[in-house]
Amino acid sequence: MADTLLSAAAKNASHLLSDPANMPWNPYYPPGSQILNYAANSWSVPALLGIFFTTCAILFTSTYFVAKRVDKTLTSAELSQIMWFVLSGCIHVFFEGYYAANFMNLGEKQTLIGQMWKEYAFSDSRYLTQNAFVLCMETVTSVFWGPGCLIIAAMIMLRHPLRHPIQIIVSMGQFYGDVLYYTTSAFDHYVLGVTYSRPETFYFWFYFVLMNAFWIVIPGYLIYDSTIQSARAISRLQKVEGTKKVT
Amino acid sequence: MADTLLSAAAKNASHLLSDPANMPWNPYYPPGSQILNYAANSWSVPALLGIFFTTCAILFTSTYFVAKRVDKTLTSAELSQIMWFVLSGCIHVFFEGYYAANFMNLGEKQTLIGQMWKEYAFSDSRYLTQNAFVLCMETVTSVFWGPGCLIIAAMIMLRHPLRHPIQIIVSMGQFYGDVLYYTTSAFDHYVLGVTYSRPETFYFWFYFVLMNAFWIVIPGYLIYDSTIQSARAISRLQKVEGTKKVT
C-alpha cells in the first residue's frame, strides 16, 4: 500500500521534475534550487508573521486559563509546561503536519500555511526541494511528537505516573531531531559549500537560528527535569524497600 | 575553531571533487556516485565478516564472564542488557567513530575498519559520499550514544537510580537515529528514484535491513522496559506518600 502510493508519487515527481516548464525562477538559496511550479506569496510578510504569532499567543494564554480553571492546584511550573506542550503539539500537528502532507508541491501552495512555509523557507530551502532528512524528521515529528506533546499535557493535569518517562521520550525526539536539523544544514554549508538560507541576516538568525532554538532549550531542560524526577522516585523506592533493586 | 577546521575541509573537498582524476570508477549505487580516490578492498569478504563477527562474539561472551564474576547476583536479564550495551557502545565508539573521523576519504582507506566500511557501503553508498544526514547521525551516535551505552552498562552493575531515565535517552537516540536512517533511504529510493544499495539481495537484506534492525528492536524494547520501571517507581512513591505529586 505504502509502496504503491510512493511509487505513484515517484512517477509523478520524475515526470514533473524533468519538464523545465514546471521550474520557474525562484528567490531561494542556493540559486538554481529546483522548486516545482513556484508561485510567489500574495500575502505580506507582516500579515503572515502577525497571524502566526497571534495564533500562538491566543493558544498559549487560553491554555493557561483553561488549565487553571480545570485544576486550581497546578503549580506555575506545571502550568507553564502544559502551555508549552499544547503550543508545541499544535505546531507539530498542524503547521509541520501541513508541510509533511504537502512536501511534493509546497512551492505552488497559496493557502495561509503554505505561504507561511514559503516565507520560512527563505531561511531553509530544503522545505521546498523534497529533502529526505527534513521530510522524514518532520513526518515523525508531526505524527508522533505532536500527539505525544498533547498526551503529556493531559498527563501533567492527571499527575500520571507515565508522565516523566513519556516526557523524556517525546522531548528527546524533538531535541535530537532539531540537533540533526541544525547540524545537517551546517555540514552542507561548511563542508559541501551548499547554503540553504538567503544571505539576509533576518532570515538566518530569526527564522533558522532563533525559531528552532526553542526546541533545543526547552526540551533539553524538560529531559533533564524528568530524568531527575524519575531517578529521585527510583532512589526513594530503593530506600523504602531497603534494596538497590527496582523491580 | 570548528569553523576554521570545517572551512579547511570544504576547500580541500571542493579542490578534490572538482578534479576528475580523483574520481576513478567504483562499483557503488547509484552508478556514477562520486567517491574520492576509490580503492577496491584487498581483503576477502569472508575475512572481513569473519573478523567483525568474531570480535563481536569475543566481546559479547567476555562481557558475560567479567560481569558475572564481578557481581554474582546479576539476573539473566541484567546480564544480557550489560552485554548489549557493552557491544553496542564499542561498535558506536570504534566502528562508527572510525567512519565519522574519516568520512572525507573513506573510499581510499585500506585499513581493516576502512575495508569493512567499504564492504558495508555496497548496501548504502551514503557512507562514501559525504551525506549530511548519515555523517551527522553517526557523529552524534559515536560521540554520545557510544559512551552513553558504556555508562549504562556500569549503571546496571551499580543499580544506579539514574539508569532507567538515562537508558530511555540513549536508547531513544539509537532508535530515532535508525528510524531516520531507514526512512531517508526509503524516501530517496521511492520518491526521488535514487537507490544507494547495490541490487544483490545479500547487500540490501543482510547488511542494510538485518544488521540495522537490531538497533530498532532492542532499543525499542529497552525504552519500553525503562518507561514501565520508571512509571512503576513514581506510582509506588505516590502511594507511599499518599499523594499524586512526585516532588
Side-chain angles (χ1 to χ4, degrees):
Chain A
M1 176 63 184
D3 274 30
T4 320
L5 277 175
L6 285 166
S7 292
K11 260 181 219 149
N12 194 27
S14 60
H15 164 70
L16 291 166
L17 289 167
S18 60
D19 183 354
N22 296 312
M23 294 291 178
W25 179 88
N26 68 69
Y28 294 92
Y29 265 64
S33 291
Q34 296 205 316
I35 299 169
L36 269 175
N37 301 316
Y38 172 66
N41 278 351
S42 56
W43 289 56
S44 74
V45 177
L48 290 170
L49 295 187
I51 294 171
F52 181 82
F53 288 110
T54 305
T55 309
C56 289
I58 292 172
L59 190 61
F60 207 58
T61 48
S62 57
T63 303
Y64 173 84
F65 287 110
V66 170
K68 211 173 160 61
R69 192 169 180 151
V70 171
D71 182 351
K72 286 195 176 63
T73 70
L74 288 167
T75 64
S76 54
E78 286 171 327
L79 271 171
S80 55
Q81 286 163 11
I82 291 167
M83 289 157 76
W84 159 256
F85 280 115
V86 170
L87 178 62
S88 183
C90 289
I91 290 174
H92 291 335
V93 171
F94 297 108
F95 190 64
E96 290 162 270
Y98 184 90
Y99 154 70
N102 295 282
F103 75 94
M104 278 305 291
N105 55 349
L106 198 56
E108 70 182 60
K109 291 285 178 198
Q110 294 295 44
T111 56
L112 180 63
I113 302 184
Q115 296 201 30
M116 285 173 179
W117 272 116
K118 282 188 284 175
E119 174 63 20
Y120 175 79
F122 286 131
S123 82
D124 189 350
S125 65
R126 293 181 293 178
Y127 282 88
L128 302 180
T129 58
Q130 293 86 42
N131 178 277
F133 163 70
V134 172
L135 188 269
C136 293
M137 183 273 289
E138 288 288 14
T139 303
V140 172
T141 299
S142 58
V143 173
F144 293 97
W145 315 146
C149 283
L150 301 175
I151 290 169
I152 294 168
M155 283 178 163
I156 298 173
M157 302 283 306
L158 300 167
R159 274 120 185 181
H160 198 286
L162 278 168
R163 177 258 173 120
H164 284 298
I166 301 283
Q167 183 169 302
I168 300 178
I169 295 172
V170 172
S171 297
M172 255 299 290
Q174 297 174 307
F175 183 88
Y176 191 22
D178 206 0
V179 165
L180 292 174
Y181 178 71
Y182 277 135
T183 52
T184 49
S185 180
F187 176 87
D188 283 347
H189 174 77
Y190 286 115
V191 180
L192 303 186
V194 178
T195 305
Y196 302 115
S197 179
R198 280 193 57 87
E200 293 84 356
T201 311
F202 175 75
Y203 295 128
F204 179 73
W205 288 103
F206 185 66
Y207 291 168
F208 184 77
V209 176
L210 180 70
M211 292 311 294
N212 291 294
F214 289 104
W215 279 270
I216 294 286
V217 175
I218 302 175
Y221 168 75
L222 293 170
I223 292 166
Y224 167 79
D225 188 46
S226 286
T227 299
I228 298 298
Q229 299 290 350
S230 302
R232 195 174 290 171
I234 291 168
S235 172
R236 285 198 206 169
L237 194 69
Q238 285 177 342
K239 277 175 200 148
V240 168
E241 296 188 339
T243 165
K244 283 212 80 179
K245 297 197 76 175
V246 181
T247 44
Chain B
M1 176 63 185
D3 274 30
T4 320
L5 277 176
L6 285 167
S7 293
K11 260 180 220 150
N12 195 28
S14 60
H15 164 70
L16 292 167
L17 289 167
S18 59
D19 184 354
N22 297 311
M23 293 292 176
W25 178 89
N26 69 68
Y28 294 92
Y29 266 63
S33 291
Q34 296 205 315
I35 299 169
L36 269 174
N37 301 316
Y38 170 68
N41 278 349
S42 56
W43 290 55
S44 74
V45 177
L48 290 170
L49 296 187
I51 294 170
F52 181 82
F53 288 111
T54 305
T55 309
C56 289
I58 291 171
L59 190 61
F60 207 59
T61 48
S62 57
T63 304
Y64 173 84
F65 288 110
V66 171
K68 212 173 160 61
R69 193 171 180 149
V70 171
D71 182 351
K72 286 196 177 60
T73 70
L74 288 167
T75 65
S76 54
E78 285 171 328
L79 271 172
S80 56
Q81 285 161 12
I82 290 167
M83 289 156 75
W84 160 255
F85 279 115
V86 170
L87 177 63
S88 183
C90 289
I91 290 174
H92 292 335
V93 171
F94 297 107
F95 190 65
E96 291 163 271
Y98 184 90
Y99 154 71
N102 295 283
F103 75 95
M104 278 304 292
N105 55 350
L106 198 55
E108 70 183 57
K109 292 284 178 199
Q110 294 294 45
T111 56
L112 180 63
I113 301 185
Q115 296 201 30
M116 285 173 179
W117 272 116
K118 283 188 281 174
E119 175 63 20
Y120 175 79
F122 286 131
S123 81
D124 188 351
S125 66
R126 293 181 293 178
Y127 282 87
L128 302 180
T129 57
Q130 292 85 40
N131 178 276
F133 162 70
V134 171
L135 188 268
C136 293
M137 181 273 288
E138 288 288 14
T139 303
V140 173
T141 300
S142 58
V143 173
F144 294 98
W145 314 146
C149 283
L150 301 176
I151 290 169
I152 294 168
M155 283 178 164
I156 298 173
M157 302 282 306
L158 299 167
R159 275 119 185 184
H160 198 287
L162 278 168
R163 176 257 174 120
H164 284 297
I166 300 284
Q167 183 168 303
I168 300 178
I169 295 172
V170 173
S171 297
M172 254 300 289
Q174 298 174 307
F175 183 87
Y176 191 22
D178 206 1
V179 165
L180 291 174
Y181 177 72
Y182 277 135
T183 53
T184 49
S185 179
F187 176 86
D188 284 346
H189 174 77
Y190 287 115
V191 180
L192 304 186
V194 178
T195 305
Y196 302 115
S197 180
R198 281 192 58 88
E200 293 84 354
T201 312
F202 175 75
Y203 295 128
F204 179 73
W205 288 102
F206 185 66
Y207 291 169
F208 184 77
V209 176
L210 180 70
M211 292 311 295
N212 291 293
F214 289 103
W215 280 268
I216 294 287
V217 175
I218 301 175
Y221 168 76
L222 292 170
I223 293 167
Y224 167 81
D225 187 46
S226 286
T227 298
I228 298 298
Q229 299 289 352
S230 303
R232 196 175 290 171
I234 291 169
S235 173
R236 286 198 206 168
L237 193 70
Q238 286 176 343
K239 277 175 200 148
V240 168
E241 295 188 339
T243 166
K244 284 210 76 178
K245 298 198 74 177
V246 181
T247 45

